[in-house]
């Protein structure tokens, strides 16, 4: 099963991953692999300090304070390790339920697989076109941290609350 979405009544932009990695499942929260660049990148974009790896509450607060929401595209799947290429038996998350609870106006997919799953299963329900962002995964080593931050900042600039 996936993690519960992180959102509140101010969440206008949804960031979607694919499915929690083994390290994330071990920590019971999103982007738990120590080499994943999501939390340092998001901290840089929001002006927040980088939360400690174990500090789930600080991570949730970065999302919530800045008008964001965080979730995964999949409720369940069969996967080998953290390999998105091995994903099968997909069950998409119920985005309609989230959209009924939060004022989401924009969707950003963290990586190509999240984007592919979103456009196939979730966009027909949400009606919100997604922006595909480069993955923050350590497997996406070709995208340097500076370039990653530049692209994410450009796309999310109008959505991150100060």
């Amino acid at each position: 099963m996936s993690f519960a979405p992180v959102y509140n009544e101010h969440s206008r932009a949804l960031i979607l991953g694919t499915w929690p990695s083994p390290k994330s499942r071990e920590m019971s929260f999103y982007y738990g692999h120590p080499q994943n660049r999501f939390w340092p990148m998001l901290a840089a974009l929001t002006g927040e300090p980088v939360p400690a790896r174990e500090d789930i509450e600080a991570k949730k607060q970065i999302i919530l304070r800045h008008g964001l929401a965080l979730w995964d595209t999949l409720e369940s799947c069969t996967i080998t390790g953290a390999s998105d290429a091995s994903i099968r038996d997909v069950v998409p998350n119920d985005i309609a339920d989230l959209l009924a609870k939060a004022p989401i106006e924009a969707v950003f997919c963290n990586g190509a697989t999240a984007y592919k799953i979103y456009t196939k299963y979730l966009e027909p329900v949400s009606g919100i076109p997604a922006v595909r962002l480069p993955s923050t995964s350590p497997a996406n080593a070709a995208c340097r941290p500076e370039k990653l931050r530049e692209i994410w900042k450009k796309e999310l600039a109008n959505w991150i609350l100060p």
Side-chain angles (χ1 to χ4, degrees):
M1 298 296 280
S2 68
F3 304 136
V6 177
Y7 68 95
N8 64 18
E9 68 277 7
H10 304 293
S11 300
R12 293 174 41 241
L14 172 61
I15 300 170
L16 286 172
T18 305
W19 175 254
S21 70
K23 289 287 186 190
S24 296
R25 291 192 301 273
E26 184 181 294
M27 291 192 63
S28 300
F29 200 65
Y30 301 93
Y31 304 107
H33 192 289
Q35 300 303 311
N36 193 295
R37 300 168 292 178
F38 183 83
W39 294 110
M41 191 252 338
L42 198 61
L45 296 185
T46 59
E48 299 269 356
V50 177
R53 184 167 173 260
E54 304 78 23
D55 195 344
I56 291 170
E57 190 54 36
K59 292 174 178 179
K60 285 181 182 178
Q61 289 308 311
I62 289 175
I63 295 295
L64 299 176
R65 267 196 301 272
H66 296 282
L68 303 171
L70 181 62
W71 206 17
D72 282 321
T73 54
L74 296 176
E75 178 182 314
S76 66
C77 68
T78 302
I79 186 171
T80 303
S83 170
D84 281 358
S86 73
I87 291 175
R88 54 187 168 73
D89 307 321
V90 303
V91 176
N93 266 319
D94 183 359
I95 197 162
D97 185 58
L98 177 61
L99 295 175
K101 297 173 182 174
I104 304 295
E105 300 173 35
V107 175
F108 299 89
C109 294
N110 187 353
T113 304
Y115 181 79
K116 179 179 164 189
I117 293 167
Y118 177 81
T119 56
K120 182 173 183 177
Y121 298 104
L122 303 178
E123 186 176 345
V125 176
S126 73
I128 303 170
V131 174
R132 176 182 159 187
L133 295 170
S135 175
T136 60
S137 167
N140 184 21
C143 189
R144 297 182 333 279
E146 307 77 39
K147 185 68 174 169
L148 190 69
R149 279 192 303 275
E150 175 188 319
I151 295 168
W152 277 67
K153 182 177 183 173
K154 175 181 175 273
E155 296 296 341
L156 286 166
N158 295 326
W159 296 100
I160 294 176
L161 295 178

